[in-house]
Amino acid sequence: MNNMARRALTGFFFVALLVGCTVLSMPTFFLLFAVVAGATVWEFSTNVNRYAGASVNRFINVVAGVCLVTTVGGYCAGLTGPRDFIPYLATLVYLLVSELYRRRPDPLKNWAYAFASQLYVALPFALLPVLAFRYDAMQNMVRYEWIYPLSVFIFLWVNDTGAYLFGCTLSRYFPARLFARVSPGKSWVGSIGGALSCLAAGALLGCFWSDKMTMGQWMGLSLTVCVFGTWGDLVESLFKRQLGIKDSGNILPGHGGMLDRFDSALLAIPAAVFYFYYFELLS
């Protein structure tokens, strides 16, 4: 199977799995992103251990990331309380104290990369439930609103597709590079095309989901996701360039690793949460 067909087939199943688990139910949503967070933290730890001279405890680091995602999710859903964050805090303490006994040559580097993975990878996935749950004062219950977290991924996919199509079509006429030092393949015209595509997708969601937000609010969210998603892509490109690798992994045929697939989301999700809080849309 050639690379394009393999990439298309993997992309189809990836999108189907993410959309299906998010729409199906709250438990499948939790399970999916707990697994994704764990796999992505493992991949991050593996790369820094292999190419950056670190020796991060991958297992405990993954346990910490999964604890953070599930505990924050449970808290947002009203299923857990403040005490349930103790296991996550315990794993962080373990990552610190264990370096006293592991006798590794560079414990400071291990701490830095371990906590970087919690901040850069685990925290964004843990923030997805903040978008997904709304408190219904009338019924005194928390409602699961899958459209909000799913919309972030829809805008990211639309941005990628629009940037690719506009870039392939028009970059020969407008060759200016967006960030040549980090990602030579990205052009300004592609990025603008991706942003326009996102605005169109936001307007479309505003037509079908006007009971959730106005069209202008959907379009504002789409532009926020577009900008921060592009930065997220560039940040991961810088990470790989510093390590001297092309792909972060090979778990997704034709797409590379988990970091390659979710790089844009790692900055877009926190930005979306900020957008909702700033405009007081989380009530």
Side-chain angles (χ1 to χ4, degrees), residues 53 80 86 112 175 185 210-211 223 243:
T80 59
I86 292 175
S210 58
D211 60 319
L223 193 58
L243 296 184

Side-chain angles (χ1 to χ4, degrees), residues 195-219:
L196 293 175
S197 301
C198 276
L199 288 171
L204 192 62
L205 279 180
C207 293
F208 286 97
W209 298 95
S210 58
D211 60 319
K212 305 297 183 184
M213 295 194 300
T214 67
M215 182 179 293
Q217 290 169 336
W218 278 115
M219 293 176 72

Side-chain angles (χ1 to χ4, degrees), residues 113-243:
Y113 280 120
F115 286 104
S117 68
Q118 296 301 309
L119 180 65
Y120 173 52
V121 178
L123 180 60
F125 288 122
L127 289 174
L128 272 174
V130 177
L131 299 175
F133 294 99
R134 297 291 187 276
Y135 177 70
D136 189 335
M138 297 291 293
Q139 300 184 21
N140 192 28
M141 62 178 293
V142 177
R143 292 181 289 107
Y144 173 56
E145 298 280 3
W146 54 263
I147 185 59
Y148 296 116
L150 184 59
S151 68
V152 173
F153 291 99
I154 291 173
F155 294 141
L156 290 174
W157 297 333
V158 169
N159 180 45
D160 286 346
T161 304
Y164 177 78
L165 294 177
F166 275 79
C168 289
T169 305
L170 300 175
S171 60
R172 70 185 69 178
Y173 307 109
F174 306 97
R177 300 293 97 183
L178 178 66
F179 220 106
R181 179 174 63 87
V182 174
S183 184
K186 286 184 171 54
S187 64
W188 272 104
V189 68
S191 296
I192 293 171
L196 293 175
S197 301
C198 276
L199 288 171
L204 192 62
L205 279 180
C207 293
F208 286 97
W209 298 95
S210 58
D211 60 319
K212 305 297 183 184
M213 295 194 300
T214 67
M215 182 179 293
Q217 290 169 336
W218 278 115
M219 293 176 72
L221 176 62
S222 73
L223 193 58
T224 300
V225 169
C226 171
V227 172
F228 282 86
T230 300
W231 279 336
D233 193 346
L234 291 170
V235 165
E236 199 248 353
S237 294
L238 181 60
F239 170 74
K240 292 189 295 184
R241 186 171 289 272
Q242 288 295 302
L243 296 184

Side-chain angles (χ1 to χ4, degrees), residues 15 29 46 51 68 71 76 94 108 116 135 162 168 186 190 225 231 265:
V15 170
F29 171 76
T46 298
Y51 302 108
L68 179 62
T71 307
C76 292
Y94 180 89
L108 185 59
Y135 177 70
C168 289
K186 286 184 171 54
V225 169
W231 279 336

